[in-house]
């Protein structure tokens, strides 16, 4: 079968190329020159070192939320709660930065990073616990916990740690020694150590999943939980641990967003990173290393979409959402591709 001879990493590339062509054709119907739209995207993302830095900045949280969705999916769980988990992680990072201002720079970053990962991880493990102990469906639980996390964050920002010097709903600023400094190479674009942290996290998860016994158990549970249970695998521990890792990955978004950008926790700071992470993970087919490149693509779409409203008359930033939808639709249509090429299987099979 032709599709079986195509490397798995090539399928998302094909889906991306097809969706880009279809998306540019849509701009033609809207009255724009597709080549001009493509040029705007290219210049917006790669026109200068600052533009490249902004693309990397947009991609950093998407790497982490994509990993959050992927690690849960490997264990047979569908994590739609990355938005709530990153909220709790960011709030924890800001709280540590406000309450303990006298730490040394290195120790401050370690404590804030650990707090964000642990807070997000505990919020995610709550989903795993309810799943294995009460048989609560993780999709429903994660959606509900997203709202609960938003409510907790609102209470803390408004009644506990609110900054009295601004009308914006945000906490007091974190201490200066908690802040990450942007790399000068990218001309003041907000590219910080958070990018390296997200890439390191992706590599570490790949090693865990494909080079350790625990990773093998996670993948095995995701394939067939009943067979693993019969074989003596502690499926309860695996699913709770997987959701803890998923929440920890999402929680680390707070490192870049609070310590590398805003310097405080702002309500509704996320433009939907947790939900975009689902698309990032699907495009990468759950491979942690491929998620790095998938997140870069979606980050580039977000960065380029902003310039479309400035330099075109009929295309808005919603064009990025159209491209994202097309990419996902084509990726999940992989089974349809198999059916299309199935009649040719016997033609190429030796007698």
């Amino acid at each position: 079968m032709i599709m079986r001879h195509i490397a798995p990493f090539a399928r998302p590339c094909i889906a991306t190329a097809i969706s880009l062509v279809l998306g540019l054709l849509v701009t033609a119907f809207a009255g724009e020159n597709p080549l001009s739209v493509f040029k705007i995207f290219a210049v917006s993302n790669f026109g200068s070192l600052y533009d490249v830095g902004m693309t990397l900045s947009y991609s950093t949280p998407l790497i982490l939320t994509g990993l959050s969705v992927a690690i849960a999916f490997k264990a047979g769980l569908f994590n739609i709660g990355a938005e709530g988990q990153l909220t709790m992680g960011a709030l924890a990072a800001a709280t540590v930065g406000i309450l303990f201002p006298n730490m040394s720079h290195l120790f401050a970053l370690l404590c804030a990073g650990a707090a964000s990962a642990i807070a997000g991880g505990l919020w995610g493990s709550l989903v795993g616990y309810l799943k294995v102990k009460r048989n609560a469906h993780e999709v429903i639980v994660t959606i509900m916990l997203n709202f609960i996390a938003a409510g907790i964050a609102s209470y803390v920002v408004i009644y506990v740690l609110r900054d009295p010097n601004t009308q914006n709903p945000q906490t007091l600023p974190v201490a200066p020694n908690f802040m990450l400094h942007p790399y000068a190479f990218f001309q003041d674009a907000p590219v910080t150590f958070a990018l390296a942290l997200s890439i390191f996290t992706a590599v570490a998860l790949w090693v865990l999943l494909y080079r350790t016994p625990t990773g093998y158990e996670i993948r095995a549970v995701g394939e067939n939980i009943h067979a693993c249970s019969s074989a003596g695998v502690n499926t309860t521990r695996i699913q709770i641990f997987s959701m803890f890792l998923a929440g920890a990955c999402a929680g680390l978004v707070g490192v870049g967003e609070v310590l590398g950008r805003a310097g405080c926790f702002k309500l509704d700071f996320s433009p939907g990173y947790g939900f975009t992470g689902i698309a990032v993970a699907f495009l990468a087919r759950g491979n942690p290393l491929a998620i790095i490149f998938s997140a870069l693509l979606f980050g580039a779409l977000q960065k380029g979409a902003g310039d479309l409203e400035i330099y075109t008359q009929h295309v808005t930033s919603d064009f990025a959402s159209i491209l994202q939808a097309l990419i996902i639709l084509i990726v999940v249509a992989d089974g349809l591709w198999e059916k299309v090429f199935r009649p040719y299987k016997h033609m190429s099979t030796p007698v």
Side-chain angles (χ1 to χ4, degrees), residues 279-318:
V280 170
F282 276 13
L283 178 60
R285 305 177 71 86
N287 186 309
L289 297 182
I291 282 174
I292 298 173
F293 302 98
S294 176
L296 286 173
L297 171 64
F298 279 84
L301 291 178
Q302 289 187 358
K303 172 63 172 65
D307 287 351
L308 289 178
E309 293 190 351
I310 301 175
Y311 298 108
T312 64
Q313 294 182 348
H314 306 292
V315 180
T316 67
S317 59
D318 292 332

Side-chain angles (χ1 to χ4, degrees), residues 44-45 50-65 189-191 195 198 253 257 261 271 273 276 280 292 294-307:
S44 175
N45 286 283
Y50 176 81
D51 292 325
V52 173
M54 290 302 299
T55 300
L56 294 175
S57 177
Y58 282 118
S59 304
T60 299
L62 298 182
I63 295 175
L64 294 168
T65 55
V191 181
L195 174 63
S198 65
V253 171
E257 296 300 305
R261 277 178 174 268
Y273 292 137
T276 306
V280 170
I292 298 173
S294 176
L296 286 173
L297 171 64
F298 279 84
L301 291 178
Q302 289 187 358
K303 172 63 172 65
D307 287 351

Side-chain angles (χ1 to χ4, degrees), residues 52-104:
V52 173
M54 290 302 299
T55 300
L56 294 175
S57 177
Y58 282 118
S59 304
T60 299
L62 298 182
I63 295 175
L64 294 168
T65 55
L67 293 172
S68 176
V69 175
I71 188 66
F73 193 73
K74 289 294 184 182
L77 301 170
F78 195 9
N79 180 27
I80 310 185
E83 196 71 18
Q85 293 150 17
L86 69 86
T87 297
M88 298 304 290
L91 184 61
T95 301
V96 171
I98 294 169
L99 298 182
F100 304 97
N102 297 322
M103 293 182 182
S104 65

Side-chain angles (χ1 to χ4, degrees), residues 232-294:
V233 176
N234 189 339
T235 57
T236 296
R237 177 183 64 84
I238 289 297
Q239 289 195 313
I240 294 177
F241 177 65
S242 299
M243 283 306 304
F244 177 85
L245 287 180
C249 289
L252 285 174
V253 171
V255 174
E257 296 300 305
V258 174
L259 307 183
R261 277 178 174 268
C264 63
F265 178 89
K266 297 181 178 181
L267 285 181
D268 301 323
F269 72 92
S270 170
Y273 292 137
F275 300 112
T276 306
I278 299 174
V280 170
F282 276 13
L283 178 60
R285 305 177 71 86
N287 186 309
L289 297 182
I291 282 174
I292 298 173
F293 302 98
S294 176

